[in-house]
Amino acid sequence: MMSIRSKLTLWLTALVVLGTIVGMVLFESTLRQAFHDSIINRLEEDLEHIIMATHFHDGDISIDQSALSVFYKPAYSGRYFQLNLPNEVIRSRSLWDQTLDIKPLGKGQTRVWQAKGPENHDMQLLSVGLSSNVSHQTATLTVAQDLSIGRQVFSEIYGTKLLINLVMLGGMIAGIFLVLRQSFKPVKQIQQSLSRLRDGEITKLELDDIPPEITPLAQTYNELLDYTTKQIERSRNNMGNLSHGLKTPLAVMQQQVEVLGLQDPQMAEAMQQQLDLIRKMVERKLAAARITGNMLPAAQLSVPRDLESLFDTLGKVHRHKNIQCKLDLDTDISRLPIHREDGMELLGNLLDNAYKWASSEVRLAVRNGEKGAVVHIDDDGPGVADNELDLMTQRGTRLDETVMGHGLGLSIVREIAEQYDINILFGRSQALAGLAITLEFHQ
């Protein structure tokens, strides 16, 4: 999913680019209209000046070109006029040998259009129909202006405006990136704090540098952490107290069973089996409490720190066997996606079983899989028969019930695995010939 910062950057950049494009289109349209209006206004002024220089004598029409602007004298100067009479055409000197194709107009009629002129340049033309009341003679006066020079000016103005807008657009986009980067800096700090919290480096979020908008959320998160920590500690203490409290009644019951063995050996043997099961459960819970230790409720299992700690603890528990343990970890995996306490109990149960049954070596490997991290646990013990491997994969089966004395609480392992959607596979180790367990995590 795209981050909020990326979405804001994308949307704001798109809005700025769209606004710039719309602004340039409107500017181009306005500038083009203003350019056209200015040319028409100039042609209207030229038309008035030429009409004022037009004289009627005895039915003849003439133009006093000495009273006109000097722009009409150089050849192809870009400003032209032409007077079309029934039998004569009077042209400005600037037209040289060119004649404009003019449509005759009646008195008072006007026409505005564009056409090709000298040197095949586009021209803007304005015509008006004239008439003499004395001779009743009609004429059509036309003024024209070359558009090439104006269009060049238009292109220069528009190009300069476009360049300025592009520079401003780049500046605004850079500003958006910088502003959003600075604005989301506290969020980045919170993200880093959460990572440190998962690694167990801190116990709560620091509120000093958090923006006011996020402070209530961080405070609530810290309160939840404190509450959960206390609940976990209380549960751990209760579990430890219960396990220790059961030791004395179990010792008394053990003495009673020994006494009963003298009178009824069969009854004593059945009770002894039940006492052994209770003692194993107590030892397992005490081991779990000892393995997990003091942990944060938000912490994830750290690699390799927690795994090395787990091996160290189990090495002390099984120090009489002198088991050699080997860790093989991918360097780019820093944690496993499981709460540290649950992960320690899950791997602690599996590794404790491996230590119990191994002859001399236990291996643990952590690899990157297709969907997430993959953990492999191998030992060089006797392994498990193929038909018993099938039973281990069945839901609701405990390995310590299918294989007498195995000592692995499979139901606890499966319960944790199901909680985190971890796929567990049992098989025979190819390298050590003992039991091979594969845990497939999902990110």
Side-chain angles (χ1 to χ4, degrees):
M1 179 181 291
M2 187 180 295
S3 65
I4 298 177
R5 175 181 170 182
S6 299
K7 287 183 179 179
L8 286 175
T9 302
L10 181 61
W11 279 105
L12 290 177
T13 301
L15 288 176
V16 169
V17 172
L18 181 61
T20 302
I21 293 175
V22 172
M24 289 304 300
V25 171
L26 293 177
F27 175 77
E28 190 270 345
S29 177
T30 303
L31 183 62
R32 189 177 298 278
Q33 186 63 41
F35 173 67
H36 179 266
D37 292 343
S38 65
I39 292 178
I40 296 300
N41 290 335
R42 174 175 291 181
L43 291 177
E44 290 176 348
E45 292 177 359
D46 291 347
L47 196 63
E48 292 179 359
H49 291 161
I50 295 174
I51 291 176
M52 293 176 61
T54 302
H55 303 284
F56 296 87
H57 299 284
D58 300 330
D60 296 330
I61 300 178
S62 63
I63 298 177
D64 184 6
Q65 298 199 25
S66 62
L68 300 179
S69 173
V70 295
F71 287 107
Y72 293 110
K73 295 181 180 179
Y76 307 139
S77 64
R79 295 176 66 176
Y80 315 102
F81 73 83
Q82 180 173 301
L83 180 63
N84 287 65
L85 300 169
N87 300 318
E88 183 183 3
V89 175
I90 302 176
R91 299 173 298 169
S92 64
R93 185 178 178 184
S94 56
L95 277 173
W96 199 246
D97 58 349
Q98 299 285 325
T99 302
L100 302 178
D101 185 13
I102 304 299
K103 178 181 178 180
L105 299 177
K107 182 181 179 181
Q109 290 183 337
T110 58
R111 183 188 179 196
V112 179
W113 82 103
Q114 292 184 4
K116 293 291 183 179
E119 298 181 318
N120 202 33
H121 288 177
D122 291 332
M123 293 192 309
Q124 181 69 55
L125 300 97
L126 173 62
S127 298
V128 63
L130 302 177
S131 176
S132 172
N133 294 329
V134 178
S135 61
H136 302 288
Q137 188 175 11
T138 60
T140 301
L141 177 60
T142 302
V143 291
Q145 180 171 331
D146 193 331
L147 296 177
S148 59
I149 298 177
R151 285 177 176 174
Q152 182 179 357
V153 175
F154 172 85
S155 299
E156 292 176 356
I157 295 175
Y158 187 76
T160 303
K161 174 65 175 176
L162 180 61
L163 180 61
I164 294 174
N165 279 25
L166 290 177
V167 173
M168 293 179 61
L169 177 62
M172 286 187 289
I173 293 176
I176 289 173
F177 277 97
L178 292 176
V179 170
L180 289 179
R181 180 181 179 182
Q182 189 66 24
S183 299
F184 277 85
K185 189 175 181 180
V187 179
K188 185 68 174 180
Q189 294 175 350
I190 293 178
Q191 185 179 3
Q192 295 174 350
S193 299
L194 290 174
S195 298
R196 295 176 60 195
L197 194 64
R198 287 195 299 268
D199 293 337
E201 299 178 4
I202 58 176
T203 59
K204 61 181 179 179
L205 297 176
E206 299 178 359
L207 304 178
D208 297 337
D209 299 329
I210 296 180
E213 293 84 358
I214 311 179
T215 299
L217 177 61
Q219 290 176 341
T220 305
Y221 189 79
N222 284 341
E223 293 173 358
L224 180 61
L225 282 178
D226 292 337
Y227 175 78
T228 308
T229 302
K230 293 178 181 178
Q231 290 294 103
I232 293 175
E233 184 66 25
R234 187 180 297 112
S235 299
R236 186 182 300 117
N237 292 336
N238 291 338
M239 181 179 63
N241 293 335
L242 178 61
S243 299
H244 283 290
L246 288 175
K247 281 191 172 183
T248 300
L250 287 175
V252 174
M253 294 177 65
Q254 181 66 44
Q255 294 176 358
Q256 296 297 324
V257 169
E258 292 176 357
V259 174
L260 181 62
L262 300 176
Q263 302 174 0
D264 190 348
Q266 293 183 351
M267 180 66 70
E269 183 180 358
M271 294 186 64
Q272 184 65 50
Q273 291 179 359
Q274 299 302 317
L275 285 175
D276 290 341
L277 289 176
I278 295 175
R279 187 177 292 107
K280 288 180 180 179
M281 292 179 63
V282 171
E283 291 177 354
R284 184 170 64 243
K285 292 301 179 182
L286 286 175
R290 185 169 57 252
I291 289 173
T292 55
N294 295 322
M295 296 183 178
L296 296 173
Q300 290 186 341
L301 190 69
S302 178
V303 178
R305 182 184 60 190
D306 290 333
L307 297 180
E308 292 174 349
S309 174
L310 188 59
F311 268 112
D312 183 63
T313 301
L314 291 172
K316 293 178 181 178
V317 173
H318 300 277
R319 58 183 177 275
H320 60 283
K321 298 191 65 175
N322 193 25
I323 300 296
Q324 182 183 8
C325 58
K326 293 184 179 180
L327 272 175
D328 187 8
L329 311 174
D330 278 357
T331 56
D332 58 340
I333 299 179
S334 60
R335 65 174 65 92
L336 294 179
I338 184 173
H339 183 269
R340 186 181 295 175
E341 183 174 356
D342 294 333
M344 295 290 272
E345 185 169 4
L346 173 67
L347 295 179
N349 273 289
L350 296 174
L351 287 172
D352 181 62
N353 174 76
Y355 268 85
K356 286 179 179 179
W357 288 90
S359 299
S360 61
E361 185 177 351
V362 173
R363 295 181 183 178
L364 187 146
V366 180
R367 295 280 183 266
N368 276 315
E370 295 181 358
K371 298 182 180 179
V374 179
V375 177
H376 302 280
I377 300 176
D378 298 82
D379 64 69
D380 61 350
V384 179
D386 293 340
N387 60 334
E388 293 170 348
L389 288 175
D390 295 336
L391 292 174
M392 293 173 67
T393 59
Q394 293 178 6
R395 181 177 178 84
T397 303
R398 286 176 58 98
L399 189 59
D400 52 4
E401 294 174 353
T402 59
V403 181
M404 181 61 66
H406 201 284
L408 172 63
L410 184 58
S411 62
I412 297 176
V413 172
R414 182 180 287 110
E415 181 181 351
I416 297 175
E418 290 179 350
Q419 179 181 354
Y420 290 92
D421 193 24
I422 301 172
N423 189 27
I424 304 180
L425 302 175
F426 298 93
R428 181 166 295 277
S429 174
Q430 298 295 327
L432 302 180
L435 181 64
I437 304 174
T438 301
L439 303 176
E440 296 178 347
F441 290 82
H442 300 279
Q443 297 289 356

